[in-house]
Every structure is written in structure tokens, then in C-alpha cells.
Amino acid sequence: MADITRRFGWRHLRSTPTAHVRHHRRGQLVHDGPGLSFWFRALSAALCEVPVDDRELAMAFHARTSDFQDVTVQATVTYRISDPATAAARLDFSIDPDTGIWRSAPLEQISTLLTETAQQHALDVLARTPLAAALVDGVASVRERIGQGLGAEPRLEATGIAVVAVRVVALRPEPEVERALRTPAREQIQQEADRATYERRAVAVERERAIAENELASRIELARREEQLVEQRGTNARREAEENAAADAVRAEAEAARAVRLATAEAEAAREVGEARAQAQAAWLRVHADVDAATLHALTATRLAENLPRIDSLTVSPDVLTGLLAKLGRPGGEQA
């Protein structure tokens, strides 16, 4: 939209580089070109502003395939006005001299022309194509047909409109048909997923089985080693007991031999002591055998005197006393 300002009854227009402005005054073309800036009088001026930049037109329409299936076509057409003078002559691009706004809607007319022309060519190619083929190769064929059709459309050339590019964004069937078409693919994908799941589970089970076998083998080996350890401990205990028993036997034999030797020595000592005592007693008897009775009585009295402190009582029979008194009464100590 052109920028228009007012000063003292005059108007000043300033356009953009992408807008082609045509200024007529009293039927004569005064200014013609893009990006213009000039003064004019509103009462005598006729202004047109034609955009010359590339514009995108999105369109969506329904079509029917050869097997009577409805599809939706989404496309985008890029166009520009290549001949502003022709476009201004065929379409109303006039603007208000006070506000710079278009008096009508020329771009909507161009959009309607492009949409209907593209739809006509798309319907023509899809009407001879079954749904399956349209979904597979329909985008390329529809894009090519629309491009060719718009390029050969005489009305567009006569209006000064050039088509820059055509893009077909999507070609979709009805939702029910799309779900029906997706079902086999989904089933196949689900089967692949299930097969992958089963294979993964089988691998996991195989790994678990291998782990369980390894654990079982480890337990068996551990039990076998424990059994060997128990046997070795038993062997060690038995050997220790045998060695202890042998040591005890040796110790007992040594103690028995020592006891025997001690007993023998004691017996020998006792025998020698007995023999010595017997020999001493025999010698004593032999010595006393030749001594008279009075000497023996004196020795007896001496022994008696030596043992008096240990005699609690003494009994003298009348016979002994009578004899002693008789002996003592004899003159000169005679002996009987």
C-alpha cells in the first residue's frame, strides 16, 4: 500500500520498490514505474498500484479418482505480475488518492483465477488415475500437470500474470479410506515389531538359560570343592589324632618305663637297705651273743633311759622286780 500524505491541498505519494505505480492526469499517463515518489492533486489524479513481487497462493480442493475415491489436494502456486500495465488494464488496481487503499480486491480475483485453473487441471489428471497410483505417483503428476496447464493458460498471459513455481504439498484420501489403507501396513509393522519382540525375548531367555547353567556349574564346582575340603579336613583330623595317639603311646611307654625303672631302683634300694639292716642286725646279734646277761641288762636300762621321755607308763611284773632285788641284794654284785 502506497504512503500518501497531504500538504496544503496537495498529495504526496511514496511507493515501495515492489509496487508499480501508474499516475494518470486528465487521461494522460504522467508517472509510471516502481518505487516512485511525487506530488499530485487528488481531484485530477487517477492512481493505480500494481504489486510486482512474488506472491504465494495456497490452495486446497477436492478431486475424485478413477475408482470414485475422494482425495484432497493441497498445493501452493507462486506467481507475479510480469506486465503491470496489462494487469492494470484488465483488473482494477486503482487506489484511493487520500488513503492509498485499493478500491476493489484485485488480488482475490487473481487468486480465484489461479485456483480454478489449477483445480481444473488437477481434476483432469486425477479422474484418469486410480487411488493407489495417485497416492504413489500422484503428487508428481499433478504438480507437472498444473504447472503445464497454468503455463499454457491464455487468460493468465492476457492478464499479465506469470507463474513462477507450482508445489503440491499433499494428496490425501478420505480419513476412512486412509485408515483402511494404513491397516495392512500397520499390521505388517506390528508383525515385524512382534517378531522382533519374540526374537528379543528368545535371546533374553537363551541368555538367562546360559546364566543359569553357569550358576549351576559354579554351584556344582563349589560343592565339589567343599566336599574335597571336608575330606581333607577329615584326613587332617584323622592324621592329627593318629599322631596324637602315637605321641600319647610313646609318652605312656616312656612313663611306664620310667615307672618300672623307678620301681626297680626302689626295690633294689629297699633290698639293699634290708640286706644292710639284716647284716647290721646280724652283726649286732653276733656282738651281743658273746656279752653276759648283766651287760645286756645294762644296755637295756640305758636304752630305756634314752626313751623315758617318750614312755607314758611302765609296768614291772613281780617276777622282774623280785629278780632285780635279789640281784641287787647279793654282796659283791654276784651274778647268777
Side-chain angles (χ1 to χ4, degrees):
M1 184 180 66
D3 184 13
I4 298 177
T5 57
R6 291 179 288 182
R7 293 289 187 278
F8 307 108
W10 288 81
R11 304 289 186 272
H12 182 271
L13 183 145
R14 183 177 60 190
S15 65
T16 61
T18 58
H20 189 98
V21 176
R22 293 172 62 85
H23 175 210
H24 291 79
R25 184 175 56 198
R26 297 187 182 91
Q28 300 294 325
L29 183 62
V30 180
H31 298 93
D32 185 17
L36 297 181
S37 179
F38 55 87
W39 292 90
F40 67 93
R41 287 186 174 275
L43 296 178
S44 61
L47 302 174
C48 294
E49 184 182 25
V50 181
V52 293
D53 56 337
D54 290 349
R55 293 182 174 266
E56 302 285 341
L57 175 62
M59 59 184 69
F61 50 85
H62 294 279
R64 180 169 294 182
T65 62
S66 61
D67 47 1
F68 305 100
Q69 298 296 327
D70 292 335
V71 294
T72 301
V73 180
Q74 295 179 358
T76 301
V77 176
T78 303
Y79 70 94
R80 67 168 173 265
I81 298 176
S82 58
D83 190 351
T86 303
R90 299 294 300 269
L91 300 174
D92 186 7
F93 282 97
S94 62
I95 60 176
D96 189 287
D98 294 329
T99 61
I101 300 175
W102 279 319
R103 297 179 183 274
S104 61
L107 295 182
E108 294 183 1
Q109 297 178 1
I110 296 176
S111 299
T112 301
L113 174 61
L114 291 174
T115 301
E116 292 179 352
T117 305
Q119 183 176 1
Q120 177 181 357
H121 294 287
L123 292 177
D124 183 54
V125 68
L126 289 175
R128 296 191 297 269
T129 306
L131 178 62
L135 295 178
V136 175
D137 300 325
V139 173
S141 59
V142 170
R143 181 180 64 250
E144 183 180 358
R145 182 60 179 274
I146 291 176
Q148 293 177 355
L150 292 178
E153 179 65 29
R155 186 179 175 184
L156 295 178
E157 184 179 0
T159 312
I161 299 173
V163 176
V164 178
V166 176
R167 298 185 302 276
V168 177
V169 180
L171 185 64
R172 294 182 177 179
E174 294 295 324
E176 296 80 4
V177 178
E178 187 173 6
R179 284 194 295 269
L181 294 175
R182 289 178 178 178
T183 300
R186 287 183 176 180
E187 291 294 334
Q188 185 176 0
I189 295 173
Q190 186 63 38
Q191 291 177 2
E192 294 291 336
D194 293 341
R195 182 165 58 253
T197 301
Y198 295 151
E199 292 178 355
R200 185 169 59 254
R201 289 179 179 176
V203 172
V205 170
E206 182 64 22
R207 290 179 178 176
E208 291 179 357
R209 185 186 63 79
I211 293 173
E213 289 182 354
N214 292 335
E215 291 180 353
L216 181 59
S218 299
R219 291 180 181 178
I220 293 174
E221 181 65 20
L222 181 60
R224 186 179 64 81
R225 293 188 178 182
E226 289 180 354
E227 182 180 0
Q228 292 178 355
L229 179 60
V230 171
E231 291 179 357
Q232 186 64 35
R233 286 179 177 175
T235 302
N236 295 340
R238 184 169 59 254
R239 184 178 301 171
E240 183 179 359
E242 291 176 354
E243 291 179 356
N244 292 335
D248 292 340
V250 172
R251 191 180 301 109
E253 290 178 357
E255 290 179 356
R258 180 175 175 276
V260 169
R261 289 193 301 270
L262 182 59
T264 303
E266 290 178 354
E268 184 66 24
R271 184 181 60 77
E272 292 179 355
V273 170
E275 290 179 355
R277 288 179 179 178
Q279 291 177 2
Q281 188 67 27
W284 187 79
L285 290 177
R286 285 192 302 270
V287 170
H288 288 77
D290 298 335
V291 179
D292 55 1
T295 301
L296 292 175
H297 288 162
L299 293 173
T300 301
T302 301
R303 290 287 181 89
L304 179 60
E306 293 176 357
N307 295 323
L308 278 178
R310 292 177 296 184
I311 296 176
D312 294 333
S313 63
L314 178 63
T315 303
V316 180
S317 65
D319 295 337
V320 176
L321 183 61
T322 300
L324 290 175
L325 290 176
K327 292 180 180 181
L328 293 175
R330 292 178 182 176
E334 296 179 356
Q335 295 180 1

